[in-house]
């Protein structure tokens, strides 16, 4: 052997000569899940109806009586407790703020017989603001929206709703953005904040209406607080997700440049997450408007009052007109905030057109707006919107159309209801609710471990223990079956329509306004057509929940798929993939984070509708909560049901999150099996 041979480095191995990759045989989690269900079903056949923990509707347990006692203690301490006095002071502040704005633009400011600024002045100012922060199209949209409020006879109610919404959203942003930054920056803070958000978003609105009345009073204060609680989670969740999603490479580059935490946050992370933060703001506004009807239960001002009064009379047309105006308001605010964000980003990049000409236009139109304000103070026709017959005429037409739909489509909707009920709802409910409680708990725990391993198992154990503790296990399992079916349908719609919107801009233009409409219609409005078409019962409640939850999930999936890098898509197309492969192998996997967030939001919105579904025969926990609100002697049962719904929501949410995390770890592990043959494990 020569020296040259000894000094020569060993040749690199030829990948083509490597032995075939032997991957360990791992049983798919779906086969494991099927095995769990089969074993569960066999045992269910043996023990059906045994130890289901079903309780009579009016039965009061010791725990429920203790919860009712807590309410009595709060009432007794209203005049002496510092905490209650503080909350009432906060409520009084909200009332004062609302009254000031209301007398400014909505109701007569006596001895003045009209508001300080009449409808013409308010419309002119709002139009000018739309022009200043966005563009001419938004200004026209704002002007037409405000005119429609008066044209259909709901000017004061619309202004009251705007005031409540803006106060609640302003407080939500002040509180939510710091919490979103904290959540995105600290893993320790993320877990407790996420649990708190789950509690705020899944606690049925009827459950926290009574505590709000106890601690803050009725009227504008109660309306602002309940709207704030419901509207706060979206801005925190979505803004935190946007900040966390900023490229780690970009963050590392800023760190290497010596930027401080705050410099990196305000100069890099928040600007790059602007689009996602605007989505969170939009969702917060939509959530605030969707609370309009429910806030009316605590004498909250706004368009919710006429909607609620019409629903009590089962007047579809009477509920449709103010509900339509809520939708108009939502679309107006959504388009305005989105356009303002796009313009700000365009200006930051050096665009925005001729600035001098823009300032001239804003100056001229600003003077015109001030003239309109002056006229609205001194001319009756500009101060109070003239009465018209547009509202009553539209109500009559809607009622006629509703009668026609009910008469002509009753047989088709009945067939759909029967098929879904007999083939999906009834079998699932029987398996969950008629199994012994210990068997159902073991089955749920096994499925949690299969999909999410220990990350899902631990919270599932805690939540199931809590559900058992609050003495409503049987009702909880019935509700769980409804929630699972509704959430599954929501996610199917989200994936199909979301991908379609992301891949076809024209589809996005058509569907997004429809989604905005579906998202902000007051929840009670969904119940009228659902009950008319499908009759009272579980299916009507599920349909209402799907319509309410689907829009936010669809938009999140669409935005996530749309955000996939075009270069990545082009690279995949260069390899000759089909459209189906591109969607399933590239776009959906890379939008995993948005899809998980969509599933989370869809689930929570479905749960928020559970109580409302109880009003139309949904039964189970929803009926328990409604019973507790309507009858003071059943308050303890209603509170226990509300807490149980929260536990259900947290449990399902943690299982879904853990399953997504396990899938991500499997994906990373698969890429490391053989560096020369990287591929994704099926």
């Amino acid at each position: 052997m020569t020296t040259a041979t000894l000094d020569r480095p060993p040749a690199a191995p030829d990948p083509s000569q490597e032995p075939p990759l032997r991957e360990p045989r791992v049983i798919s989690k779906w086969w494991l899940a099927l095995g769990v269900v089969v074993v569960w079903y066999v045992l269910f056949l043996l023990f059906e109806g045994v130890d289901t923990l079903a309780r009579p509707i009016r039965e009061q347990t010791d725990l429920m009586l203790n919860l009712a006692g807590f309410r009595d203690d709060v009432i007794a301490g209203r005049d002496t407790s510092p905490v209650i006095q503080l909350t009432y002071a906060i409520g009084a502040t909200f009332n004062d703020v609302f009254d000031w704005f209301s007398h400014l633009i909505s109701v007569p400011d006596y001895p003045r017989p009209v508001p300080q600024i009449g409808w013409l002045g308010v419309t002119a100012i709002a139009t000018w603001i739309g022009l200043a922060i966005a563009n001419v199209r938004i200004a026209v949209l704002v002007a037409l929206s405000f005119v429609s409020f008066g044209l259909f006879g709901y000017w004061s109610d619309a202004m009251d709703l705007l005031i409540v919404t803006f106060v609640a959203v302003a407080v939500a942003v002040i509180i939510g953005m710091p919490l979103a930054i904290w959540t995105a920056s600290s893993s320790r803070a993320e877990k407790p904040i996420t649990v708190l958000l789950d509690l705020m978003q899944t606690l049925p609105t009827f459950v926290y209406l009574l505590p709000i009345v106890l601690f803050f009073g009725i009227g504008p204060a109660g309306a602002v607080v309940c709207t704030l609680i419901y509207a706060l989670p979206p801005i925190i969740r979505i803004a935190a997700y946007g900040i966390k999603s900023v490229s780690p490479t970009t963050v590392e580059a800023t760190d290497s440049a010596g930027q401080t935490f705050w410099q990196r946050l305000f100069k890099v992370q928040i600007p790059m997450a602007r689009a996602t933060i605007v989505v969170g703001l939009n969702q917060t506004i939509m959530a605030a408007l969707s609370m309009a009807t429910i806030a009316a239960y605590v004498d909250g001002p706004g368009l919710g009052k006429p909607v609620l009064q019409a629903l009590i009379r089962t007047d579809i047309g009477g509920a449709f007109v103010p509900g339509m105006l809520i939708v108009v308001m939502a679309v107006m605010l959504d388009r305005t905030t989105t356009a303002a964000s796009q313009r700000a980003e365009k200006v930051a990049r050096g665009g925005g057109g001729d600035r001098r000409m823009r300032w001239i236009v804003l100056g001229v139109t600003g003077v015109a707006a001030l003239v309109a304000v002056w006229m609205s103070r001194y001319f009756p026709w500009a101060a109070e919107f003239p009465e018209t017959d547009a509202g009553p005429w539209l109500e009559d037409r809607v009622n006629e159309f509703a009668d026609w739909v009910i008469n002509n489509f009753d047989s088709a909707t009945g067939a759909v209801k029967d098929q879904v009920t007999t083939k999906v709802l009834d079998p699932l409910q029987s398996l969950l609710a008629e199994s012994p409680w210990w068997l159902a708990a073991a089955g749920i725990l096994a499925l949690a471990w299969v999909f999410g391993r220990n990350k899902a198992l631990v919270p599932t154990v805690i939540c199931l223990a809590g559900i058992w503790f609050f003495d409503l296990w049987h009702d909880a399992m019935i509700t769980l079956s409804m929630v699972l079916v509704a959430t599954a349908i929501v996610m199917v719609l989200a994936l199909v329509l979301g991908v379609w919107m992301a891949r076809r801009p024209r589809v996005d233009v058509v569907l997004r306004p429809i989604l905005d409409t579906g998202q902000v219609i007051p929840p009670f409005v969904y119940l009228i057509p659902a009950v008319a078409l499908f009759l009272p019962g579980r299916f009507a409640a599920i349909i209402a929940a799907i319509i309410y939850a689907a829009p936010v999930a669809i938009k999140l999936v669409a935005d996530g798929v749309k955000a996939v890098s075009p270069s990545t898509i082009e690279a995949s197309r260069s390899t000759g993939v089909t459209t189906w492969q591109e969607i399933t192998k590239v776009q959906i996997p890379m939008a995993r984070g948005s899809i998980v967030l969509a599933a989370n939001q869809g689930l929570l919105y479905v749960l928020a509708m559970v109580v409302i579904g109880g009003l139309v025969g949904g039964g189970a926990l929803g009926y328990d909560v409604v019973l507790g609100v309507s009858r003071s002697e059943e308050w303890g049962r209603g509170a226990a049901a509300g807490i149980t719904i929260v536990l259900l929501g947290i449990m399902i949410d943690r299982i879904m999150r853990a399953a997504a995390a396990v899938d991500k770890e499997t994906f990373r592990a698969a890429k490391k099996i053989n560096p020369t043959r990287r591929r994704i494990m099926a």
Side-chain angles (χ1 to χ4, degrees), residues 325-346:
L325 294 178
I326 295 176
V327 172
V328 170
M329 187 180 297
V331 172
M332 176 190 70
L333 294 175
D334 174 56
R335 293 294 179 269
T336 303
T337 53
T338 302
S341 173
Q342 292 172 348
R343 172 166 179 78
E345 187 172 351
K346 189 176 181 180

Side-chain angles (χ1 to χ4, degrees), residues 134-181:
N135 51 50
V136 175
R137 289 187 301 174
I138 295 299
V140 172
L141 173 63
V142 171
L144 293 177
S145 299
F146 273 76
V147 170
S148 69
F149 300 150
L151 184 65
F152 289 100
Y154 290 96
W155 175 264
S156 294
D157 290 327
M159 293 304 100
D160 288 345
L161 177 58
L162 266 179
I163 295 170
V164 171
T165 299
F166 273 114
V167 172
V169 170
V171 177
V173 172
I174 293 172
I175 297 174
M177 281 306 298
L179 289 177
I181 294 169

Side-chain angles (χ1 to χ4, degrees), residues 512-595:
R512 196 166 289 267
I514 298 175
L515 297 177
D516 293 338
T517 300
Q519 191 174 347
V520 300
I521 292 177
F524 284 91
V525 176
Y526 298 135
L527 296 180
I528 292 180
V531 171
L533 293 174
F534 298 101
L535 301 180
R538 295 170 299 166
F539 194 74
I542 289 174
I543 292 297
I546 291 170
I547 300 174
Y548 184 61
V552 61
I554 294 171
K555 290 200 290 186
L556 285 171
V557 171
D559 292 338
V561 174
K562 192 183 300 182
V564 175
S565 172
S567 60
T568 302
I569 296 177
E570 289 298 329
S572 68
R573 289 174 180 174
S574 66
T575 63
V577 299
T578 63
T579 300
W580 178 251
Q581 289 173 329
E582 180 181 310
I583 294 172
T584 58
K585 300 296 184 181
V586 180
Q587 290 181 304
I588 289 179
M590 296 196 70
R592 182 190 304 273
S594 295
I595 293 173

Side-chain angles (χ1 to χ4, degrees), residues 606-618:
V606 167
L607 280 170
M609 284 291 293
V610 166
V611 175
I612 299 173
L615 293 172
V616 294

Side-chain angles (χ1 to χ4, degrees), residues 168-321:
V169 170
V171 177
V173 172
I174 293 172
I175 297 174
M177 281 306 298
L179 289 177
I181 294 169
W182 192 21
T183 301
S185 306
S186 172
S187 57
R188 292 184 177 180
E190 182 179 9
K191 293 182 179 179
I193 290 176
T194 300
V195 172
L196 179 61
L197 295 180
D198 291 342
L199 178 66
M200 293 170 62
Q201 200 168 2
T202 62
L203 187 64
T205 49
F206 275 97
V207 175
Y208 63 71
L209 284 182
L210 184 56
I212 285 173
V213 172
L214 288 175
F215 287 98
F216 295 94
I218 62 174
V224 169
V225 174
C226 72
T227 302
L228 172 63
I229 292 175
Y230 192 69
L232 184 60
I235 185 68
I236 299 176
R237 288 184 188 275
I238 300 175
Y241 171 75
I243 294 172
K244 287 175 64 176
S245 298
V246 174
S247 171
T249 304
T250 304
V251 175
E252 291 174 2
T254 61
D255 291 340
S256 64
Q259 287 191 348
T260 64
F261 170 82
W262 296 109
Q263 288 174 326
R264 181 176 70 245
L265 178 67
F266 288 107
K267 293 184 178 180
V268 179
Q269 290 177 301
I270 290 181
M272 294 188 70
R274 184 197 306 272
T276 306
I277 293 173
V278 170
V279 172
L281 178 61
N282 286 348
Q283 296 303 314
T284 294
I285 293 173
M286 303 302 178
L289 288 172
S290 71
M291 283 294 296
T293 305
I294 297 175
Y297 270 91
V298 293
D299 199 28
L303 289 168
K305 280 189 173 181
V307 171
L308 181 60
Q309 292 168 358
L311 289 172
I312 293 174
R313 303 191 305 267
T314 319
D315 180 4
I316 297 178
F320 174 83
V321 174

